[in-house]
Amino acid sequence: MFFLFGLTTREQLQFTGQSSCRYCGQFAPQQVVQRKTKLSVFFIPLLTLRRTRLQRCTRCGGTSRISGSEQRALASAAF
């Protein structure tokens, strides 16, 4: 008997808000992206192994990890 398993990583854009970039220092639109890594068996995703929140600058392309509280602060500033 054999099992087909693997890892799949997907990115989903949560929202875009105005903030200053950590890299270039410019006040520009920042995308908040959620990246999920899932374990799949027979091409069916079963478990989420890792969930990461990222802030990506649309001006310079700099990407950094953010916490849940930083994501909520950016979300409240976006709307």
Side-chain angles (χ1 to χ4, degrees), residues 41-57:
V41 176
F42 292 111
F43 306 105
I44 300 170
L46 295 178
L47 298 172
T48 300
L49 299 177
R50 185 180 303 161
R51 183 175 296 154
T52 307
R53 296 171 190 94
L54 303 171
Q55 177 181 347
R56 184 178 300 145
C57 180

Side-chain angles (χ1 to χ4, degrees), residues 1-8 39-46:
M1 183 182 334
F2 65 94
F3 291 101
L4 294 175
F5 64 93
L7 298 175
T8 305
L39 174 68
S40 301
V41 176
F42 292 111
F43 306 105
I44 300 170
L46 295 178

Side-chain angles (χ1 to χ4, degrees), residues 13-70:
L13 177 65
Q14 298 293 312
F15 61 89
T16 302
Q18 293 284 334
S19 180
S20 61
C21 177
R22 297 178 183 191
Y23 294 101
C24 65
Q26 298 294 319
F27 192 76
Q30 305 292 314
Q31 295 177 337
V32 175
V33 177
Q34 188 172 39
R35 183 182 291 169
K36 293 181 184 178
T37 302
K38 293 187 176 188
L39 174 68
S40 301
V41 176
F42 292 111
F43 306 105
I44 300 170
L46 295 178
L47 298 172
T48 300
L49 299 177
R50 185 180 303 161
R51 183 175 296 154
T52 307
R53 296 171 190 94
L54 303 171
Q55 177 181 347
R56 184 178 300 145
C57 180
T58 58
R59 182 178 168 98
C60 70
T63 303
S64 60
R65 283 184 168 179
I66 59 173
S67 65
S69 60
E70 290 173 320

